[in-house]
Amino acid sequence: MLGRGRTSTSCPPPPPRAPPRIPSPLGPEEGAPPPDQPPDPAPPMSSLIYKNMERWKRVRQRWREAGQRQQQRYGPSLRLLRLIYERQ
């Protein structure tokens, strides 16, 4: 890192391999009928809304985790910049 009396002219480069920013899509739900086959009795509206909310909650969580993994590659540079800023 940066010692007493040393200067830094550049930040460390991020690792060359980065995990993808876009997470892989969720697969079909377990036990659900195929999408092209309509269910026999229509499920109640509240059940559909609940399932939809649960699915999109998982999608949002996967996007957040992918974003955090992507930001980790810049950790050393951010630590160096924070160290430089705090010493001023």
Side-chain angles (χ1 to χ4, degrees), residues 13-31:
R17 286 280 202 202
R21 175 72 174 170
I22 300 173
S24 60
L26 289 175
E29 293 184 17
E30 295 177 10

Side-chain angles (χ1 to χ4, degrees), residues 17-55:
R17 286 280 202 202
R21 175 72 174 170
I22 300 173
S24 60
L26 289 175
E29 293 184 17
E30 295 177 10
D36 58 348
Q37 180 183 6
D40 292 334
M45 185 66 72
S46 60
S47 170
L48 291 175
I49 290 173
Y50 178 76
K51 287 180 182 178
N52 191 33
M53 284 178 22
E54 288 297 316
R55 179 175 175 84

